[in-house]
Amino acid sequence: IAGITQAPTSQILAAGRRMTLRCTQDMRHNAMYWYRQDLGLGLRLIHYSNTAGTTGKGEVPDGYSVSRANTDDFPLTLASAVPSQTSVYFCASSDSASGVGTDTQYFGPGTRLTVL
Amino acid sequence: GQNIDQPTEMTATEGAIVQINCTYQTSGFNGLFWYQQHAGEAPTFLSYNVLDGLEEKGRFSSFLSRSKGYSYLLLKELQMKDSASYLCAVMDSNYQLIWGAGTKLIIKP
């Protein structure tokens, strides 16, 4: 069982380019999340999805979009990358949707993105 | 606003005990989590507290006081592999996790 996988592991991207970060989980978890982690700051929620077909905005959604076509996949797209989006991006999943329970979030290995 | 405070860095000696504190002010409370994160890796779950008191799990224990907005993570019999960042996170009234910046724990021989 792989758990949560993310791709790519790292990427260097020119400003203005479009980029999709991939996230796949095989635990059949309902809820999935995208966070960014920057030095000196806590993890910040970008977007989330309580269940397939629904998405919601987190704390820092601007410049990012997501989709949840099925239970397993939750891609994050940067439509036109800017240097301030340089960060480490973590995808996570949990068995319960928001408002239903407080199950533990499990994290993927992360994608290190550099925008020049 | 919502706020989670924890020390930036702590140093301890192998074999000793260390306590990492976390204070919080959030919109609602649906539990407090502690995660461990080794450098360059993903956060991994350590503990969850929703009721006041101490939860013990092997060498690690976590304490919660909801009235004081306070938690601590206690690590006993420290090992070199415990060198990592420890993240405190609170689930708010919207069931979203609010994260502290993490405490980097350095273990010295």
Side-chain angles (χ1 to χ4, degrees), chain A residues 6 12 24-25 29 35-36 51-52 56 61 72 99-100 104 111 115:
Chain A
Q6 293 184 235
I12 298 174
T24 299
Q25 54 105 356
H29 282 172
Y35 291 94
R36 59 178 290 171
T51 189
D72 298 343
V100 175
T104 302
T111 293
V115 182

Side-chain angles (χ1 to χ4, degrees), chain B residues 3-99:
Chain B
N3 195 50
I4 310 286
D5 285 319
Q6 48 181 134
T8 302
E9 186 174 297
M10 299 181 70
T11 301
T13 304
E14 189 177 15
I17 299 173
V18 70
Q19 178 176 310
I20 302 174
N21 296 324
C22 171
T23 57
Y24 63 89
Q25 289 179 306
T26 56
S27 303
F29 180 84
N30 282 299
L32 185 143
F33 294 79
W34 283 97
Y35 279 77
Q36 181 189 59
Q37 186 177 24
H38 285 102
E41 298 183 7
T44 56
F45 170 75
L46 285 178
S47 67
Y48 170 69
N49 294 70
V50 68
L51 300 176
D52 288 352
L54 188 68
E55 294 278 345
E56 296 185 80
K57 191 184 294 185
R59 294 189 298 115
F60 292 9
S61 302
S62 55
F63 172 83
L64 174 67
S65 169
R66 289 172 296 171
S67 62
K68 295 182 179 178
Y70 169 71
S71 173
Y72 67 73
L73 181 69
L74 190 72
L75 291 74
K76 303 176 185 176
E77 301 170 15
L78 286 169
Q79 301 175 10
M80 297 303 293
K81 68 178 182 180
D82 297 330
S83 292
S85 288
Y86 292 85
L87 314 181
C88 174
V90 173
M91 188 156 281
D92 69 8
S93 56
N94 294 318
Y95 291 91
Q96 290 191 358
L97 280 177
I98 309 301
W99 295 81

Side-chain angles (χ1 to χ4, degrees), chain A residues 67-79:
Chain A
S67 61
R68 187 88 184 278
N70 58 60
T71 298
D72 298 343
D73 301 300
F74 191 43
L76 176 74
T77 297
L78 290 68

Side-chain angles (χ1 to χ4, degrees), chain A residues 3 11 19 31 34-36 43 51 56 70 74 77 86 88 90 105 112:
Chain A
Q11 182 76 44
M19 176 74 191
W34 273 106
Y35 291 94
R36 59 178 290 171
L43 288 159
T51 189
N70 58 60
F74 191 43
T77 297
T86 294
V88 180
F90 287 103
Q105 292 185 16
R112 186 174 298 274

